[in-house]
Amino acid sequence: MVNKGIFLNGDNGGTFLHFGNYQNTCISDPILCGPEGITFSFFWKNQEARSRFAVASGGKVISNGFSVYTNPLLGYVEFYTRGNHHRWKTNIQVPGPFWTHILFTWTKSDGLKVYINGTFTAGDATGNVSENYGDPYPDLVIGTGNNRAYDHYVTGAFDEFVIWERALSPTDILLYYGAAIGQALASATTPRSFREATSVTPTLRATEVSPPVISSRREEVQSSPDPETMPVLGFLKVLPNRTIPHNAANNLTQAFLKSVEEVLSSPALPEQSIPVVSGLIETVDRVMEHMVTKLEPGPNTLVTLDGTSFVADYSLMKLPQNYNLPHYRFPTEGKSYISVPGEAFTLQSQTTIVGLFYHNMHSYYKEISPVKTRINEAADFKDHKIQVASCLISLKVEPSPALSFNLSGAPLIKIVQTHVLTKEQQDQVLNQSNKVFLYCAFLDYSSNEGVWSNKGCVRSDGNMTYSVCLCNHLTNFAILMQVVPLKLTTGHRVALSTIGYVGCSISILCLAITLVTFAVLSSVSTIRNQRYHIHANLSFAILVAEILLLISARFDPGTLPCKVMAVLLHFFFLSAFAWMLVEGLHLYSMVVKVFGSEGSKHFYYYGIGWGSPLVICIVSMTSALDSYGEVDNCWLSLKNGAIWAFVAPALFVIVVNIGILISVTRIISRISGENYKVHGDANAVKLTVKAVAVLLPILGISWIFGVLAFNTHSLPFLYIFAVFNSLQGFFVFLFHCLLNSEVRAAFKHKTKVWTLTSSSIRNINVKPFNSDIMNGNKDGVLPTNSANRIDLSAV
């Protein structure tokens, strides 16, 4: 693990790292190392107060392999070979709670040598015979021994584990240690090839990365977190007079990119992986820049190295002095590329070009905080995250091309990027209620960490599928996308809110009058039919829903009253839609197709109007009670999909009632047309329009404006929706009560009855009727007085 650090907390139990099984290898059995020996190196920050093995291979104490042991009083490094019962052991100073570099070598001829912070500290050249065997495990672990029976594990931090399959010389060790801590050291010798053991697989739990440990490591042993201090880069840098053959360079590049792939696919990659990925991108860029300088010149003087891997496509090119290069494009094929005009190249000396097209790095930048970027336009919408919307593409030219200082001149770098959007991003782009900002950006490492910036770049062309950028510098580029939901201005919000409050208040008053009217006229035969029962239930559901809506504005989201109010609102608005469906079904049964008896329909209608909303609310509350009254207002959550418990039934009712309205309208139009033929009535169209206007409020078709307003965020639809739906109760009262001929006739009849009744009562008070007993009338026989008979018959 390089440059990120591992922190093991033994007090949590079961915390150690397993580096794999190395049976019959030099790591677990030093006798197999051959004359070259072996070197093991790591940084260590010990925080252990009890006796523990920090690092061990081969066994829990010592068998075949080595171990590093420490306690507060002593520490030692030990090697053991089972075949000849031989042991090498040397004491070391126990590292404290600060970073210490431990490196030890072993060969059959020179024995064990231990180096602390690059300096030779102690050794055991001859060793001694020992019968202390231990367990023959071939594992390599960090944290404790291999039998896993310990109830406590080492507590400490580790970093940069490297194993060389040879014993490094003192000069090599000093060179490596200087590179690891960021010191530039010169050397006349060249270290030979080495293999890094960087793959880590945790056996019991994921490794823990401790930010404080990492930061302290940087402060104490490294002057700056420059990626050039990595061992791979150090290895390439210490080849001042040597080049790498083409095949060897290609193999080394592939092996390096393979290791990067393993890091990216590791389950131990932290969730907040953006810093890790940014560091990997910088590392790949730097390694490739050094690799191209070490390419061995070819017979045609122009040297190229192209290839592909899981991580990226790459192109390395070394151009001789005065080479004619009219234009350069990377990649040479595809819709995404970087183009450098020929006049930008100086070519007065040897020129190197490195191009990298990363395949999947963009997928790790899912949520970038605008305040953590150097994009001023994005910071204006700091509450809306940024995502990378294209693949990353990188180009590096040395010496740097001569480009214009400002973006209005020439020459400039041209970057064409095809957008790579997820399904969620595509939906956000297509949603007209969102404003999409696209930025041409690059990773700026000037502050020792990758920060997205758009300085020196401008988006000159493109649409939602591709972007064309012009830049006056070279680095790694990508298209960033920021989606900002459009918001209404304060004036429109106040206007819509006022319309809602006024409209709901008018509707509540009108619905109350409607219900009182239906109740008073319920004794009249024409009002005592099923149609007016449905009107009354619909009016009651809308009345209660709008009263609750006005009251809910007084409660704060997240409180218990708000949650209760959200549940009640859900039920009564669903009931309103359910009774609108009943209105449609009843209209269909009367006009289009008669089905069922009055009694059976009555039972089904009440089941639909009140039963189905109750079932939906119970299911919704059982599965997502936390979605009620938690965000913004006392209503269902819009984020986790709970809103569909209302939207889906409402859309179903709207679609069904639209179909019923179309069927009924056709029949009314046909009847009106026939009346015109028979009676010469030219008001067929007028009657049809009037019928549609009367039916709209009870069928809920006006709610379609709500769907249009939500999907288009259009102000006209928002105002139409606010007016029609806040005044739905008013329209019900207007068309089905005030202007309804049956209701008006019933009201006139009832008024006449009240008038006659009050007149009869006055006559009785002034001149009482003769009793039936006095006149000798039998029960049920009317008096003979004509005036009294008229009054009674009228009643």
Side-chain angles (χ1 to χ4, degrees):
M1 297 293 295
V2 178
N3 278 347
K4 294 304 172 187
I6 302 166
F7 180 73
L8 305 180
N9 186 358
D11 293 333
N12 292 336
T15 305
F16 65 93
L17 296 181
H18 179 253
F19 270 68
N21 186 292
Y22 294 89
Q23 188 173 9
N24 299 323
T25 68
C26 174
I27 293 175
S28 63
D29 189 356
I31 202 171
L32 300 177
C33 293
E36 294 86 2
I38 189 172
T39 301
F40 192 90
S41 166
F42 62 96
F43 282 87
W44 184 12
K45 187 175 183 180
N46 181 44
Q47 295 173 326
E48 183 59 67
R50 299 165 60 183
S51 299
R52 292 295 151 208
F53 293 97
V55 182
S57 77
K60 69 175 183 179
V61 180
I62 195 68
S63 55
N64 284 337
F66 63 87
S67 65
V68 180
Y69 182 91
T70 180
N71 66 26
L73 301 177
L74 62 92
Y76 61 79
V77 179
E78 185 177 25
F79 263 74
Y80 188 84
T81 54
R82 176 184 290 273
N84 56 7
H85 304 168
H86 213 75
R87 179 173 64 176
W88 292 260
K89 180 179 179 181
T90 182
N91 294 331
I92 61 171
Q93 183 179 0
V94 179
F98 52 85
W99 286 105
T100 304
H101 182 240
I102 308 293
L103 183 146
F104 48 90
T105 64
W106 180 88
T107 61
K108 294 179 182 178
S109 57
D110 297 330
L112 176 65
K113 295 181 179 180
V114 180
Y115 295 79
I116 306 294
N117 291 337
T119 303
F120 176 75
T121 301
D124 184 357
T126 58
N128 56 71
V129 176
S130 173
E131 300 295 334
N132 182 14
Y133 282 93
D135 296 330
Y137 290 103
D139 298 336
L140 171 60
V141 298
I142 297 169
T144 194
N146 287 312
N147 77 346
R148 298 161 174 77
Y150 292 97
D151 60 353
H152 178 82
Y153 297 84
V154 71
T155 299
F158 302 86
D159 198 4
E160 297 190 22
F161 288 92
V162 185
I163 298 175
W164 289 264
E165 290 184 322
R166 64 183 182 86
L168 296 183
S169 67
T171 305
D172 293 340
I173 294 170
L174 193 61
L175 276 173
Y176 171 74
Y177 176 69
I181 66 172
Q183 294 177 355
L185 300 176
S187 173
T189 62
T190 300
R192 291 163 297 191
S193 301
F194 60 89
R195 186 181 78 178
E196 296 184 7
T198 59
S199 176
V200 180
T201 304
T203 55
L204 295 185
R205 56 179 257 184
T207 60
E208 299 180 6
V209 178
S210 171
V213 170
I214 296 173
S215 61
S216 61
R217 154 89 164 82
R218 293 281 177 252
E219 292 172 0
E220 292 163 8
V221 302
Q222 189 168 306
S223 58
S224 67
D226 188 351
E228 292 186 7
T229 62
M230 290 188 172
V232 175
L233 292 173
F235 164 70
L236 292 171
K237 280 187 163 185
V238 294
L239 295 172
N241 300 318
R242 293 187 57 182
T243 56
I244 306 174
H246 187 279
N247 290 338
N250 187 58
N251 292 337
L252 185 57
T253 302
Q254 287 286 341
F256 170 67
L257 293 176
K258 180 65 176 177
S259 66
V260 175
E261 174 189 346
E262 292 175 354
V263 174
L264 290 173
S265 59
S266 171
L269 192 68
E271 293 183 3
Q272 299 297 329
S273 56
I274 289 181
V276 178
V277 175
S278 297
L280 285 174
I281 292 172
E282 184 185 22
T283 301
V284 174
D285 289 347
R286 295 294 181 87
V287 168
M288 292 302 187
E289 291 169 23
H290 288 286
M291 183 70 71
V292 71
T293 62
K294 303 300 180 184
L295 286 177
E296 186 175 70
N300 298 325
T301 66
L302 174 65
V303 183
T304 60
L305 177 63
D306 300 314
T308 185
S309 72
F310 173 83
V311 175
D313 296 336
Y314 57 89
S315 176
L316 281 65
M317 183 179 293
K318 182 184 287 187
L319 306 174
Q321 185 177 0
N322 298 323
Y323 188 84
N324 182 21
L325 186 65
H327 177 265
Y328 181 80
R329 165 182 161 151
F330 171 80
T332 56
E333 297 180 354
K335 296 181 179 180
S336 297
Y337 61 88
I338 296 181
S339 175
V340 183
E343 61 267 27
F345 294 100
T346 58
L347 297 176
Q348 296 177 357
S349 61
Q350 178 179 273
T351 303
T352 59
I353 302 176
V354 176
L356 288 158
F357 185 83
Y358 294 96
H359 298 154
N360 298 310
M361 290 295 192
H362 65 279
S363 62
Y364 293 92
Y365 293 92
K366 297 177 180 177
E367 291 189 350
I368 306 169
S369 174
V371 297
K372 294 184 178 179
T373 67
R374 296 192 179 101
I375 304 174
N376 295 331
E377 302 92 323
D380 294 337
F381 307 99
K382 61 182 179 180
D383 295 330
H384 303 283
K385 300 292 185 181
I386 300 174
Q387 296 177 320
V388 176
S390 71
C391 293
L392 273 75
I393 187 169
S394 172
L395 190 68
K396 181 68 175 179
V397 178
E398 282 292 337
S400 298
L403 300 171
S404 173
F405 287 105
N406 55 67
L407 296 172
S408 60
L412 293 173
I413 305 299
K414 180 181 179 181
I415 303 107
V416 180
Q417 286 274 57
T418 301
H419 300 167
V420 182
L421 304 180
T422 63
K423 180 63 170 61
E424 180 182 0
Q425 289 174 322
Q426 291 174 356
D427 294 340
Q428 291 176 333
V429 169
L430 295 175
N431 191 344
Q432 296 183 19
S433 64
N434 292 330
K435 185 172 181 61
V436 180
F437 295 92
L438 295 171
Y439 309 108
C440 295
F442 62 96
L443 279 170
D444 185 358
Y445 291 96
S446 60
S447 61
N448 297 326
E449 60 177 342
V451 177
W452 288 102
S453 172
N454 65 343
K455 184 178 180 181
C457 288
V458 64
R459 186 170 181 264
S460 61
D461 194 9
N463 52 32
M464 288 302 164
T465 60
Y466 79 98
S467 293
V468 178
C469 305
L470 297 177
C471 297
N472 60 8
H473 59 84
L474 282 172
T475 180
N476 40 63
F477 301 94
I479 305 300
L480 303 188
M481 183 176 76
Q482 187 180 30
V483 179
V484 180
L486 294 175
K487 292 184 178 181
L488 294 173
T489 62
T490 303
H492 287 302
R493 288 201 302 271
V494 171
L496 290 169
S497 178
T498 303
I499 292 173
Y501 277 109
V502 174
C504 284
S505 301
I506 295 173
S507 289
I508 289 172
L509 177 61
C510 292
L511 289 171
I513 296 173
T514 301
L515 289 173
V516 171
T517 301
F518 288 162
V520 170
L521 301 181
S522 61
S523 60
V524 182
S525 59
T526 55
I527 306 300
R528 203 166 51 246
N529 60 42
Q530 199 168 54
R531 180 157 48 97
Y532 289 97
H533 278 292
I534 297 172
H535 289 348
N537 279 277
L538 173 61
S539 298
F540 179 76
I542 298 175
L543 174 65
V544 177
E546 293 192 345
I547 291 174
L548 292 174
L549 185 63
L550 293 180
I551 296 174
S552 66
R554 296 181 174 272
F555 297 114
D556 295 326
T559 60
L560 180 60
C562 186
K563 187 179 289 288
V564 173
M565 196 63 63
V567 174
L568 293 175
L569 280 170
H570 187 201
F571 172 74
F572 279 102
F573 270 114
L574 278 181
S575 298
F577 270 99
W579 282 107
M580 292 176 202
L581 178 61
V582 171
E583 292 275 9
L585 295 175
H586 184 68
L587 182 66
Y588 186 82
S589 70
M590 288 195 306
V591 178
V592 181
K593 184 177 181 181
V594 179
F595 56 87
S597 63
E598 289 292 320
S600 64
K601 287 191 290 186
H602 191 77
F603 174 78
Y604 288 127
Y605 289 164
Y606 273 83
I608 295 172
W610 297 112
S612 58
L614 182 62
V615 172
I616 294 173
C617 282
I618 291 174
V619 173
S620 177
M621 290 171 59
T622 303
S623 58
L625 183 59
D626 293 339
S627 299
Y628 286 89
E630 291 294 331
V631 181
D632 297 334
N633 49 41
C634 301
W635 186 232
L636 289 163
S637 173
L638 299 176
K639 294 184 178 180
N640 57 7
I643 189 64
W644 284 101
F646 171 75
V647 173
L651 288 177
F652 173 76
V653 172
I654 291 172
V655 171
V656 172
N657 281 353
I658 287 175
I660 293 173
L661 181 65
I662 293 172
S663 301
V664 172
T665 304
R666 290 176 59 187
I667 292 175
I668 295 174
S669 300
R670 190 186 69 214
I671 295 173
S672 300
E674 292 174 354
N675 286 338
Y676 173 73
K677 292 178 182 179
V678 175
H679 303 291
D681 186 2
N683 292 326
V685 176
K686 181 179 178 181
L687 290 174
T688 303
V689 173
K690 181 180 177 181
V692 171
V694 170
L695 294 176
L696 280 177
I698 62 172
L699 296 183
I701 309 300
S702 58
W703 279 78
I704 197 69
F705 292 113
V707 177
L708 294 173
F710 178 79
N711 287 336
T712 64
H713 211 80
S714 173
L715 276 176
F717 285 129
L718 282 173
Y719 278 98
I720 293 173
F721 175 67
V723 171
F724 274 90
N725 288 277
S726 65
L727 293 175
Q728 185 179 11
F730 168 75
F731 290 125
V732 170
F733 167 74
L734 181 66
F735 292 128
H736 298 277
C737 186
L738 186 63
L739 300 180
N740 185 280
S741 59
E742 288 182 351
V743 174
R744 286 191 296 175
F747 187 77
K748 289 179 180 179
H749 178 72
K750 196 73 172 176
T751 304
K752 186 176 182 179
V753 169
W754 289 336
T755 303
L756 292 174
T757 302
S758 60
S759 176
S760 299
I761 293 173
R762 286 196 300 272
N763 290 336
I764 291 172
N765 291 335
V766 175
K767 186 178 180 180
F769 289 124
N770 294 324
S771 67
D772 292 337
I773 298 176
M774 290 173 62
N775 293 310
N777 292 332
K778 296 180 181 179
D779 292 341
V781 179
L782 292 175
T784 57
N785 185 287
S786 61
N788 291 340
R789 184 167 61 250
I790 292 173
D791 290 341
L792 292 176
S793 63
V795 172

